Amino acid sequence: GTHLYATRANWKMLPVNVIDGNHFMPTHVTYLQYLRERGSEMKEPIRDFHEAHLGNGHTVFEYEAPWGRPQGKPDPAWSDAVNGQILARREELLARLGPELGDRIARRNRNLVIFPNLIINDIMGTTIRVAEPVSVDYMEITAWQFCPADDPPELARVRNEQFLTFLGPGGFATPDDTEGMEASQRGFACYREAPWVNYSKGIAAELAGGYTRPGESDFMMRAFFNAWQEYLGIDRFAEAS
Ligand SMILES: [Fe+2]
């Protein structure tokens, strides 16, 4: 099936939301509380975080998270039968791709933007989203869940729950992200009085060629907007008149 929903914000807010590593902890605390209550293992929530600009505005970050993954990481909140089916998926990946790559695919999470508006979240579920501009301040989002056709019914149910509880239009995350994007858009309406959006976090380290601490930098948003300006043929240093 397909989800179609709308957000009162410019379409660029969705890819920028997906690659913003700063907002997860403050924005999605409700989801972390839900994980704790259902019995998931709650170590340091987001860790071993790596982000990369792949060129031409394509961006990705990869990290370790507390949630289980039907793609290949069991969770104490799920039944032994479901966790056994997930371990079988994991073994399949390790056998086919080798221990290192197989483990990385099974266990770790990725948020990927294919510039400009195709989004693949390989997180507690795997979803594909497209942000379509309808007007300057309104977008429609189409979302699909990506899953194997041969899931046993119990695993398919867990996979659907994983997708819906975080990324569903009425889940624990999408309404929070929507609120953030719509609030930002209301701020952008004041562009004559406030013509700048500050994406400078971590820029000194980036310009110095040094390491920018993961999740504490706007590096990915800068990569996205620089690519967008290049695409439009605009001088990135021009001031608004
Ligand atoms: Fe979010």
Side-chain angles (χ1 to χ4, degrees), residues 30-205:
T30 315
Y31 184 72
L32 293 174
Q33 283 164 355
Y34 157 75
L35 289 185
R36 192 172 290 116
E37 282 168 22
R38 81 174 189 185
S40 294
E41 200 176 333
M42 296 299 291
K43 290 185 190 149
E44 185 192 347
I46 302 291
R47 57 191 188 280
D48 200 10
F49 182 102
H50 300 278
E51 52 192 3
H53 178 204
L54 306 172
N56 298 323
H58 309 306
T59 44
V60 66
F61 62 80
E62 194 179 64
Y63 54 101
E64 191 83 20
W67 50 74
R69 287 166 43 85
Q71 301 93 317
K73 182 186 162 194
D75 190 298
W78 299 330
S79 71
D80 291 345
V82 164
N83 280 334
Q85 289 156 359
I86 291 171
L87 281 173
R89 292 275 185 231
R90 181 185 154 81
E91 288 310 317
E92 203 178 289
L93 287 167
L94 265 62
R96 185 153 54 88
L97 301 165
E100 202 175 318
L101 184 59
D103 172 65
R104 186 174 166 192
I105 289 174
R107 185 168 49 86
R108 291 171 63 76
N109 300 267
R110 281 153 291 271
N111 291 29
L112 170 70
V113 169
I114 309 288
F115 184 84
N117 67 338
L118 173 64
I119 292 153
I120 299 175
N121 277 42
D122 175 18
I123 46 179
M124 68 295 289
T126 304
T127 69
I128 301 170
R129 284 183 291 173
V130 175
E132 294 281 0
V134 175
S135 64
V136 69
D137 57 358
Y138 191 85
M139 70 174 130
E140 283 183 348
I141 299 163
T142 310
W144 298 266
Q145 185 188 192
F146 190 62
C147 55
D150 63 349
D151 263 354
E154 310 92 305
L155 181 55
R157 196 169 56 245
V158 165
R159 203 184 285 271
N160 275 333
E161 274 169 18
Q162 287 288 103
F163 166 56
L164 290 169
T165 49
F166 191 78
L167 279 163
F172 285 120
T174 297
D176 297 331
D177 287 325
T178 300
E179 175 61 23
M181 290 186 274
E182 293 190 344
S184 298
Q185 191 66 41
R186 289 196 293 276
F188 301 152
C190 306
Y191 72 94
R192 287 188 184 83
E193 291 77 22
W196 299 104
V197 176
N198 189 343
Y199 281 118
S200 67
K201 196 175 185 183
I203 200 168

Side-chain angles (χ1 to χ4, degrees), residues 212-228:
T212 300
R213 289 172 68 192
E216 296 186 347
S217 152
D218 296 333
F219 161 67
M220 304 273 272
M221 283 81 93
R222 286 195 289 277
F224 179 88
F225 282 111
N226 284 340
W228 182 243

